[in-house]
Amino acid sequence: MSSDSGGGPRSNLDPDAIVASLDAGESEHLDDEMRSVVLDHGVRTPRVIVLLHGLTASPRTWREFARVRYARGENVLIARLPRHGYRDRMTESLAQLTRDELAEHAARILDAAHVLGEQVVLVGHSLGGALALHLAHRDARVFRAIAIAPFLGIARLPHDWNAFARRLIERFPNRFVFWDPVDRGRSSPKHGYPRYATRALAAGLALADALRDDAQSGPPGAAHVEIVRNAGETSVSNRTIDDLLARWRAAGGAAVRVHRLIGLGASHDVVEPERQRAPALRFLPRLHALLDAPPPDDDLTLDVRD
């Protein structure tokens, strides 16, 4: 499904053209359920929600969440990231992913979102969270960005080692690594890749390093920026979140908020509802509540045990 009309009079909004532009050049490789998705009410709405998935995931991750936002009167764009969503889950295309490709695609996503709604709200997880922050820093058309466990660095690696780790990864030939070397993708959701490319990891680190450098030049262009910091994080570095926050605030970005997510235990993928014992089932209702409320004036604690 590429679009969903609310039945009212249509404007010049063309959701099929938006999807085609975002998936251009890769369409023949994509599984039908892993393409970019637009849920639209036929006109430009006061607010559009843009949902960005993480590394090796796909738009289907956000499918049910998007339908809830659409039912609340918002246009919704679930944007597929480059080289993701292929029907061949063992594709090697991810090894060619670059920082420039991510940044250029992010700009196209924002252009599409601006067509769909007046206020652009970005919601991204992991690599998608890093992209949301990248756009929030550089483009004032972003009204609000919520980055969930953004990939700004690797867990347990000191944040000032990021550049060294990236150069090391780039020096050696690409390797594909299974997220779970025992399961090897047999029981994980079938709409994502069971393994990641080390070169794609380097592309994500390069984007994060550029963002941290940019943050020293001034505050984000977006009106509201929020980072959800998972206390039980296992994959991305919370220290790099703290470092980015310190840089932004030192440059005048006092309005950036960091929300402490507690109660999930050891976890990273907190948005995929189709995982076994998915932490998403406890977190996503809190995310809806966050979006339903005005941007907060203070940092929050999101305790999913309540």
Side-chain angles (χ1 to χ4, degrees):
M1 177 172 62
S2 63
S3 66
D4 187 349
S5 172
R10 297 193 67 83
S11 66
N12 60 357
L13 183 153
D14 188 342
D16 292 328
I18 289 173
V19 168
S21 69
L22 293 179
D23 291 345
E26 297 180 274
S27 185
E28 65 181 22
H29 301 293
L30 304 180
D31 186 279
D32 286 342
E33 289 195 326
M34 302 184 200
R35 300 174 186 273
S36 298
V37 176
V38 172
L39 303 180
D40 75 288
H41 291 273
V43 294
R44 194 170 186 247
T45 49
R47 184 162 83 153
V48 56
I49 305 295
V50 181
L51 302 170
L52 303 170
H53 61 78
L55 182 65
T56 73
S58 75
R60 180 170 163 173
T61 292
W62 288 111
R63 181 178 60 181
E64 297 306 321
F65 188 90
R67 287 174 176 171
V68 174
R69 301 316 311 176
Y70 172 75
R72 295 183 187 184
E74 299 157 343
N75 284 344
V76 185
L77 168 60
I78 316 177
R80 184 189 62 86
L81 300 189
R83 304 185 185 276
H84 288 73
Y86 286 22
R87 66 176 60 88
D88 176 9
R89 297 175 65 224
M90 298 296 286
T91 177
E92 296 187 352
S93 179
L94 206 56
Q96 280 74 56
L97 187 68
T98 67
R99 183 192 78 174
D100 288 346
E101 186 176 24
L102 286 169
E104 290 165 7
H105 193 72
R108 288 192 291 271
I109 290 170
L110 189 54
D111 288 343
H114 194 59
V115 171
L116 292 166
E118 181 66 28
Q119 285 188 347
V120 176
V121 178
L122 307 177
V123 180
H125 172 251
S126 197
L127 180 59
L131 275 180
L133 295 177
H134 165 83
L135 288 171
H137 181 83
R138 295 191 171 207
D139 201 315
R141 288 180 298 170
V142 177
F143 173 72
R144 185 180 185 186
I146 301 176
I148 304 152
F151 177 46
L152 303 177
I154 300 171
R156 294 177 293 279
L157 186 70
H159 66 79
D160 51 355
W161 287 22
N162 273 359
F164 171 76
R166 173 172 56 83
R167 288 193 296 268
L168 197 63
I169 293 170
E170 291 171 341
R171 176 177 297 182
F172 289 96
N174 177 74
R175 291 182 59 241
F176 282 93
V177 182
F178 281 96
W179 291 111
D180 185 334
V182 176
D183 183 80
R184 298 173 74 87
R186 287 185 289 270
S187 62
S188 61
K190 304 303 182 186
H191 50 267
Y193 302 153
R195 58 183 191 165
Y196 63 88
T198 55
R199 286 296 171 83
L201 205 66
L205 288 173
L207 186 79
D209 287 345
L211 174 61
R212 290 168 62 238
D213 289 342
D214 288 346
Q216 294 180 292
S217 65
H224 303 279
V225 176
E226 299 158 66
I227 302 176
V228 177
R229 187 186 192 278
N230 181 9
E233 182 58 53
T234 58
S235 297
V236 305
S237 170
N238 281 338
R239 290 183 178 181
T240 54
I241 292 174
D242 299 337
D243 180 66
L244 176 63
L245 177 64
R247 293 177 185 228
W248 260 333
R249 289 184 174 170
V256 179
R257 304 293 171 222
V258 176
H259 305 321
R260 184 167 173 258
L261 174 61
I262 61 175
L264 288 177
S267 57
H268 172 63
D269 190 349
V270 300
V271 302
E272 174 53 72
E274 295 187 34
R275 292 194 180 279
Q276 294 181 345
R277 300 180 295 279
L281 301 180
R282 287 184 286 161
F283 170 67
L284 291 181
R286 293 303 181 97
L287 182 56
H288 278 302
L290 200 61
L291 286 168
D292 288 341
D297 294 327
D298 299 298
D299 297 347
L300 302 177
T301 297
L302 308 177
D303 188 347
V304 299
R305 297 171 297 186
D306 295 345

mmCIF file of all heavy atoms in Angstrom, residues 46 74 101-102 104 128 161 169 180-181 235 250 258 288 294 299:
data_model
loop_
_atom_site.group_PDB
_atom_site.id
_atom_site.type_symbol
_atom_site.label_atom_id
_atom_site.label_comp_id
_atom_site.label_asym_id
_atom_site.label_seq_id
_atom_site.Cartn_x
_atom_site.Cartn_y
_atom_site.Cartn_z
ATOM 1 N N PRO A 46 -2.452 19.862 8.930
ATOM 2 C CA PRO A 46 -1.671 20.752 9.799
ATOM 3 C C PRO A 46 -0.381 20.119 10.292
ATOM 4 O O PRO A 46 0.597 20.831 10.554
ATOM 5 C CB PRO A 46 -2.628 21.040 10.959
ATOM 6 C CG PRO A 46 -3.999 20.863 10.368
ATOM 7 C CD PRO A 46 -3.853 19.741 9.384
ATOM 8 N N GLU A 74 -3.692 12.830 11.070
ATOM 9 C CA GLU A 74 -2.413 13.278 10.529
ATOM 10 C C GLU A 74 -2.089 12.548 9.228
ATOM 11 O O GLU A 74 -2.417 11.364 9.086
ATOM 12 C CB GLU A 74 -1.293 13.008 11.545
ATOM 13 C CG GLU A 74 -1.491 13.750 12.854
ATOM 14 C CD GLU A 74 -0.754 13.112 14.030
ATOM 15 O OE1 GLU A 74 -0.351 11.936 13.916
ATOM 16 O OE2 GLU A 74 -0.585 13.805 15.050
ATOM 17 N N GLU A 101 24.957 9.331 0.787
ATOM 18 C CA GLU A 101 23.703 8.758 0.311
ATOM 19 C C GLU A 101 22.612 8.923 1.363
ATOM 20 O O GLU A 101 21.465 9.275 1.047
ATOM 21 C CB GLU A 101 23.907 7.276 -0.025
ATOM 22 C CG GLU A 101 22.700 6.623 -0.669
ATOM 23 C CD GLU A 101 22.973 5.179 -1.084
ATOM 24 O OE1 GLU A 101 23.884 4.555 -0.500
ATOM 25 O OE2 GLU A 101 22.270 4.687 -1.972
ATOM 26 N N LEU A 102 22.942 8.690 2.619
ATOM 27 C CA LEU A 102 21.966 8.870 3.695
ATOM 28 C C LEU A 102 21.519 10.323 3.786
ATOM 29 O O LEU A 102 20.319 10.613 3.904
ATOM 30 C CB LEU A 102 22.572 8.425 5.021
ATOM 31 C CG LEU A 102 22.715 6.918 5.247
ATOM 32 C CD1 LEU A 102 23.575 6.644 6.479
ATOM 33 C CD2 LEU A 102 21.333 6.271 5.412
ATOM 34 N N GLU A 104 21.641 12.744 1.501
ATOM 35 C CA GLU A 104 20.881 13.170 0.322
ATOM 36 C C GLU A 104 19.465 12.599 0.356
ATOM 37 O O GLU A 104 18.499 13.296 -0.001
ATOM 38 C CB GLU A 104 21.607 12.727 -0.946
ATOM 39 C CG GLU A 104 22.905 13.503 -1.201
ATOM 40 C CD GLU A 104 23.787 12.836 -2.242
ATOM 41 O OE1 GLU A 104 23.329 11.832 -2.858
ATOM 42 O OE2 GLU A 104 24.925 13.298 -2.443
ATOM 43 N N GLY A 128 17.705 5.712 11.963
ATOM 44 C CA GLY A 128 16.656 6.676 11.633
ATOM 45 C C GLY A 128 16.607 7.826 12.620
ATOM 46 O O GLY A 128 16.290 8.962 12.252
ATOM 47 N N TRP A 161 36.304 7.835 20.586
ATOM 48 C CA TRP A 161 36.923 6.803 19.744
ATOM 49 C C TRP A 161 36.129 6.566 18.462
ATOM 50 O O TRP A 161 36.526 5.751 17.627
ATOM 51 C CB TRP A 161 37.033 5.487 20.508
ATOM 52 C CG TRP A 161 38.089 5.461 21.580
ATOM 53 C CD1 TRP A 161 38.657 6.538 22.222
ATOM 54 C CD2 TRP A 161 38.705 4.299 22.131
ATOM 55 N NE1 TRP A 161 39.575 6.117 23.146
ATOM 56 C CE2 TRP A 161 39.632 4.735 23.112
ATOM 57 C CE3 TRP A 161 38.563 2.929 21.907
ATOM 58 C CZ2 TRP A 161 40.405 3.857 23.862
ATOM 59 C CZ3 TRP A 161 39.333 2.048 22.655
ATOM 60 C CH2 TRP A 161 40.249 2.508 23.616
ATOM 61 N N ILE A 169 37.190 0.535 10.456
ATOM 62 C CA ILE A 169 36.209 -0.257 9.704
ATOM 63 C C ILE A 169 36.370 -0.005 8.206
ATOM 64 O O ILE A 169 36.305 -0.936 7.390
ATOM 65 C CB ILE A 169 34.780 0.088 10.161
ATOM 66 C CG1 ILE A 169 34.550 -0.377 11.608
ATOM 67 C CG2 ILE A 169 33.747 -0.565 9.243
ATOM 68 C CD1 ILE A 169 33.245 0.133 12.210
ATOM 69 N N ASP A 180 22.162 -11.913 15.310
ATOM 70 C CA ASP A 180 22.149 -13.051 16.226
ATOM 71 C C ASP A 180 22.840 -14.208 15.515
ATOM 72 O O ASP A 180 22.247 -14.859 14.656
ATOM 73 C CB ASP A 180 20.715 -13.429 16.595
ATOM 74 C CG ASP A 180 20.639 -14.537 17.646
ATOM 75 O OD1 ASP A 180 21.591 -15.337 17.747
ATOM 76 O OD2 ASP A 180 19.621 -14.601 18.363
ATOM 77 N N PRO A 181 24.103 -14.498 15.842
ATOM 78 C CA PRO A 181 24.846 -15.523 15.099
ATOM 79 C C PRO A 181 24.326 -16.937 15.302
ATOM 80 O O PRO A 181 24.661 -17.833 14.529
ATOM 81 C CB PRO A 181 26.274 -15.374 15.646
ATOM 82 C CG PRO A 181 26.112 -14.727 16.982
ATOM 83 C CD PRO A 181 24.925 -13.832 16.866
ATOM 84 N N SER A 235 23.060 -1.519 22.338
ATOM 85 C CA SER A 235 23.728 -1.443 21.038
ATOM 86 C C SER A 235 24.340 -0.084 20.736
ATOM 87 O O SER A 235 25.452 -0.018 20.198
ATOM 88 C CB SER A 235 22.743 -1.805 19.915
ATOM 89 O OG SER A 235 22.304 -3.149 20.054
ATOM 90 N N ALA A 250 26.111 23.995 24.792
ATOM 91 C CA ALA A 250 27.212 24.963 24.827
ATOM 92 C C ALA A 250 27.109 25.959 23.683
ATOM 93 O O ALA A 250 27.592 27.099 23.787
ATOM 94 C CB ALA A 250 28.553 24.229 24.764
ATOM 95 N N VAL A 258 16.064 15.642 26.638
ATOM 96 C CA VAL A 258 16.456 14.232 26.681
ATOM 97 C C VAL A 258 15.519 13.512 27.646
ATOM 98 O O VAL A 258 15.437 13.865 28.823
ATOM 99 C CB VAL A 258 17.920 14.053 27.129
ATOM 100 C CG1 VAL A 258 18.258 12.575 27.250
ATOM 101 C CG2 VAL A 258 18.861 14.717 26.123
ATOM 102 N N HIS A 288 3.114 7.302 21.526
ATOM 103 C CA HIS A 288 1.874 7.954 21.092
ATOM 104 C C HIS A 288 1.520 9.093 22.040
ATOM 105 O O HIS A 288 1.148 10.194 21.605
ATOM 106 C CB HIS A 288 0.726 6.938 21.051
ATOM 107 C CG HIS A 288 0.679 6.105 19.814
ATOM 108 N ND1 HIS A 288 0.583 6.644 18.552
ATOM 109 C CD2 HIS A 288 0.700 4.741 19.647
ATOM 110 C CE1 HIS A 288 0.546 5.664 17.648
ATOM 111 N NE2 HIS A 288 0.618 4.511 18.286
ATOM 112 N N PRO A 294 1.750 18.494 23.592
ATOM 113 C CA PRO A 294 2.661 19.510 23.063
ATOM 114 C C PRO A 294 4.101 19.168 23.429
ATOM 115 O O PRO A 294 4.347 18.450 24.407
ATOM 116 C CB PRO A 294 2.207 20.799 23.771
ATOM 117 C CG PRO A 294 0.829 20.518 24.263
ATOM 118 C CD PRO A 294 0.780 19.056 24.552
ATOM 119 N N ASP A 299 12.916 17.876 30.430
ATOM 120 C CA ASP A 299 13.217 16.468 30.210
ATOM 121 C C ASP A 299 12.192 15.621 30.961
ATOM 122 O O ASP A 299 11.716 16.015 32.030
ATOM 123 C CB ASP A 299 14.628 16.143 30.729
ATOM 124 C CG ASP A 299 15.720 16.900 30.003
ATOM 125 O OD1 ASP A 299 15.434 17.481 28.941
ATOM 126 O OD2 ASP A 299 16.858 16.903 30.504
#
